[in-house]
Amino acid sequence: MKTEAQADYIVVKALQDGVSVIGLSRGTDTKLNHTEMLDDGEVLVAQFTEHTSMIKIRGEAQILTGIGSLRSEAKK
């Protein structure tokens, strides 16, 4: 298992105002761990840890991971 310093990171760049980045906890019950709101052009670097197993991104954003990049879309 990776130590926290070796845990995977993602980079999220907001392509519009109001992009939500939501960290969800691991364990028997999935719970909201942390929420950030980003405005156009803001960048967030997030890390998966022993407490955060999922990250949900809502809004239009560029997402960079160790396995590639993708773009989320705004709700239509």
Side-chain angles (χ1 to χ4, degrees):
M1 183 162 177
K2 293 181 180 181
T3 66
E4 197 164 310
Q6 297 171 322
D8 293 326
Y9 287 87
I10 68 165
V11 176
V12 180
K13 180 181 180 183
L15 300 176
Q16 70 177 78
D17 287 345
V19 171
S20 299
V21 181
I22 304 163
L24 300 162
S25 66
R26 70 174 71 237
T28 56
D29 295 321
T30 300
K31 296 183 181 179
L32 178 71
N33 192 17
H34 188 80
T35 301
E36 289 289 332
M37 293 293 286
L38 303 177
D39 286 331
D40 188 19
E42 290 186 324
V43 174
L44 175 78
V45 178
Q47 182 181 33
F48 290 97
T49 67
E50 68 178 85
H51 301 290
T52 302
S53 62
M54 294 182 279
I55 297 174
K56 178 179 179 177
I57 299 164
R58 187 176 287 163
E60 191 173 351
Q62 180 72 33
I63 304 151
L64 306 172
T65 74
I67 59 171
S69 67
L70 62 142
R71 185 175 171 155
S72 63
E73 297 178 5
K75 187 175 181 178
K76 296 180 183 182

